[in-house]
Each structure stands twice: as structure tokens, then as C-alpha cells.
Amino acid sequence: LDDKIIVAWNGWMIWAFALAARFLKDERYLTAGQRALGFISDSLIVDGKLKRFYRDGEARGHASAEDYASLIHAALELQFTD
């Protein structure tokens, strides 16, 4: 079972939630995206640096450009969905 939380994949998911909230006019998607972004912000940024994945209560690995890009894209999309 691969149960790690990968930043890039979650960025894409958050982006999709933001689009769903905007086009379907459903606050539940916006809330889900905000909660996921909050988790990443709280759990995967350590000493000001983004980690690549989270597993077993620990953030690990060095974030890649893909991680940063997808997370920034998702955060901007959520910002403009409000």
C-alpha cells in the first residue's frame, strides 16, 4: 500500500477542487481544497522549506520544481475562486 501524500499530486487535486467550486458553484469543493492546502502548509513546510511527501506523521524529501509549481498553481486558483 502506497499511502504517502505527495505535494505535486495534491496540488493538482486542490486545483481541481477550485475549478469544481467555481464552475459547479459548490462551496464544498472550495472547503475541501482549502483544507488540503492548509494541511500541506501546516505539515509539509518545515523550516521554511517545502518537503516532497508526507508519510507516517513525517514530512520527507526535497520538493521538486513540479511540487512548487503545482502547489503555487493550486493556491492561486483557490485565491481567485473565493
Side-chain angles (χ1 to χ4, degrees), residues 27-77:
E27 285 286 316
R28 293 177 298 172
Y29 294 113
L30 180 61
T31 301
Q34 290 169 334
R35 287 184 62 218
L37 184 61
F39 175 81
I40 290 174
S41 296
D42 294 342
S43 303
L44 284 133
I45 297 176
V46 179
D47 297 328
K49 295 181 182 174
L50 183 63
K51 298 295 185 177
R52 172 106 174 115
F53 65 93
Y54 183 89
R55 184 163 189 258
D56 295 331
E58 184 181 354
R60 301 183 214 162
H62 299 287
S64 66
E66 177 186 33
D67 295 310
Y68 281 99
S70 67
L71 193 59
I72 291 166
H73 186 211
L76 288 171
E77 200 67 48

Side-chain angles (χ1 to χ4, degrees), residues 15-26:
W15 170 75
F17 278 140
L19 290 180
R22 182 181 308 148
F23 293 111
L24 299 175
K25 311 264 190 263
D26 190 333

Side-chain angles (χ1 to χ4, degrees), residues 18 22 30 74-82:
R22 182 181 308 148
L30 180 61
L76 288 171
E77 200 67 48
L78 276 179
Q79 181 67 31
F80 293 112
T81 300
D82 278 342

